[in-house]
Amino acid sequence: MTDAARAVADAGAEAYPRIVAALIRVTGDWTLAEDCAQEALAAALERWPHQGVPDNPGGWLMTTARNRAVDVLRRATVERRKLRDLALLTDPAPARPEGDVVDDRLRLIFTCCHPALALEARVALTLRTVAGVPTADIARAFLVTESTMTRRLTRAKARIAAAGVPYRVPTGPALVERLPGVLGVLYLLFTRGYDADGEPAFAAEAIRLARLLHTLLPDQPEAAGLLALFLLHHSRRATRRDPSGDLLTLDQQDRTRWDRAAIAEGVALLDRAGDGPYALQARIAAAHATAPTAAETDWPAIARCYDALALVHPTPVVRLNRAVAHGYAYGPAAGLALLAEAREGGALDGYPPAMAAEAELTARRGDPVRAAALFRATADAVRSDPERRALLRRAAELSP
């Protein structure tokens, strides 16, 4: 990559959502905003190698996109008011984090994550509009064709228009009500990148958006908690697989290769994160990330966090993880007892992580033959080849 191309990529990553958000605010036209932002990036790739990188790359991109929007609207004989508003649209100095452009990004995030849209539509629209991820990449992650994803995005934008979704950041009680939905979209985006077969770039993008959200909403503890959670999990990204691509458990990972800067940032954020669901999960991740060795993990502290999390967010998966934590903190019998409780009602039937948890706790209780059989049954239930190989490897370790 040339220096100019790298400058375009760096400037685009920061400026794209600001440009799209600002143009949507002025014109109300999502497609026009995205097209003009993309054309500004294309113009930069064409001109910067010959003319040099401008002093304010983001401002150059904003001006170019604005001018393109003016041309389109003029040709379409759109009302004079929009043209006048666009003429006043400029990029603020890089040193000023406040102002309409910063607010526009927050408006855009809340609009893309509006509850009028289905959850997957919120994720896809956030990726495309806020993050600037190409439609083809989003389609690949959702296992659909590019044309199908294009239609879904078009329908999502039409739904926003038809529902009269306001292009603004909610305040007061409305912000408290809407923020969990926004955080949930970012969480799902992160997990899509962090899962065994996920798209790694999505996890990095989720971190970038969570950092932006925390910067723009510094008084919201759960925004800090979500960013901390992402950073602490992502700190282990380089050690989660062996050279052949198979997954490694925490006790198998090389802790000297963990990202200590990310861990330090995540731990520091916990001071502002409160005790909400994301903050509690971040504290659990911090207990793992800061343990010098797997044997020195503070499992009783992790179990206490899961006890608290189960009170505010009593999902079957939380109850499953609580059982595992208690199994390590207080012995496998305690873990198996809680696992049996979590399985009541059939919520975890056929769920591979629950099957794997039973297998591991059974092995630690001293029944390797049954544990090996459970690991093999779990391997048959998973879809991911790396997970399947890891489970079969664990079964082989327990087989005589």
Side-chain angles (χ1 to χ4, degrees):
M1 180 182 292
T2 65
D3 290 344
R6 187 174 295 106
V8 173
D10 292 343
E14 194 277 333
Y16 182 90
R18 294 193 293 112
I19 295 170
V20 171
L23 292 177
I24 289 175
R25 172 173 56 84
V26 174
T27 70
D29 190 328
W30 288 62
T31 301
L32 174 66
E34 293 174 0
D35 288 347
C36 290
Q38 290 289 348
E39 289 182 27
L41 292 173
L45 283 171
E46 179 181 348
R47 299 177 193 173
W48 291 5
H50 308 293
Q51 300 176 1
V53 178
D55 293 336
N56 182 0
W60 190 98
L61 291 170
M62 175 68 84
T63 300
T64 302
R66 178 204 62 190
N67 291 343
R68 175 59 179 158
V70 168
D71 291 341
V72 172
L73 290 174
R74 181 177 290 121
R75 286 200 301 269
T77 63
V78 176
E79 64 265 25
R80 295 178 182 273
R81 181 182 57 80
K82 288 185 177 180
L83 287 170
R84 183 177 65 251
D85 290 345
L86 276 170
L88 298 174
L89 183 61
T90 58
D91 196 53
R96 293 176 56 198
E98 297 84 17
D100 283 344
V101 176
V102 170
D103 291 342
D104 282 336
R105 289 182 292 175
L106 199 53
R107 290 186 189 108
L108 186 57
I109 291 173
F110 273 88
T111 302
C112 289
C113 297
H114 196 277
L117 302 176
L119 182 57
E120 286 207 344
R122 293 179 229 166
V123 174
L125 195 59
T126 300
L127 282 170
R128 181 70 197 97
T129 308
V130 181
V133 176
T135 303
D137 292 347
I138 303 172
R140 187 162 51 251
F142 281 81
L143 303 179
V144 298
T145 65
E146 183 175 355
S147 60
T148 297
M149 181 52 65
T150 298
R151 289 193 295 272
R152 289 185 183 180
L153 292 169
T154 301
R155 286 196 298 270
K157 297 170 192 175
R159 173 65 175 163
I160 287 174
V165 174
Y167 189 60
R168 64 169 181 257
V169 179
T171 58
L175 175 61
V176 175
E177 180 182 350
R178 288 278 308 283
L179 183 59
V182 174
L183 299 179
V185 169
L186 298 189
Y187 183 81
L188 182 57
L189 175 57
F190 181 82
T191 57
R192 280 189 174 273
Y194 197 72
D195 286 346
D197 291 329
E199 172 57 57
F202 287 4
E205 192 56 46
I207 292 173
R208 188 180 73 82
L209 294 176
R211 194 186 300 281
L212 172 64
L213 199 64
H214 173 58
T215 299
L216 301 178
L217 296 173
D219 297 328
Q220 296 297 323
E222 276 288 75
L226 185 71
L227 177 57
L229 176 63
F230 289 173
L231 290 168
L232 290 163
H233 277 306
H234 207 54
S235 68
R236 301 186 285 106
R237 63 191 179 280
T239 64
R240 296 182 68 225
R241 296 176 184 269
D242 65 16
S244 64
D246 288 346
L247 291 173
L248 297 174
T249 56
L250 272 169
D251 60 309
Q252 297 171 326
Q253 294 175 17
D254 181 359
R255 294 173 183 240
T256 64
R257 296 176 57 212
W258 287 1
D259 186 340
R260 294 297 160 185
I263 292 172
E265 183 182 359
V267 171
L269 283 166
L270 293 177
D271 292 337
R272 290 169 275 168
D275 292 304
Y278 292 119
L280 288 169
Q281 293 177 69
R283 296 183 194 284
I284 292 166
H288 287 297
T290 57
T293 66
E296 296 174 89
T297 301
D298 189 350
W299 281 106
I302 293 174
R304 289 192 296 272
C305 284
Y306 272 119
D307 290 343
L309 186 59
L311 292 176
V312 298
H313 197 56
T315 66
V317 173
V318 168
R319 297 177 67 196
L320 163 62
N321 290 334
R322 176 173 177 251
V324 173
H326 275 256
Y328 278 94
Y330 308 116
L336 287 167
L338 287 176
L339 179 59
E341 291 180 12
R343 280 177 154 168
E344 290 177 358
L348 295 173
D349 288 354
Y351 184 53
M355 299 167 67
E358 181 185 4
E360 191 59 51
L361 290 169
T362 300
R364 295 184 64 244
R365 191 179 60 181
D367 190 349
V369 175
R370 173 166 169 72
L374 289 170
F375 274 119
R376 285 191 290 270
T378 308
D380 290 338
V382 299
R383 297 180 180 180
S384 163
D385 288 337
E387 288 179 306
R388 184 176 299 105
R389 290 193 296 268
L391 291 163
L392 291 176
R393 184 170 62 246
R394 182 69 176 113
E397 292 171 356
L398 295 167
S399 299

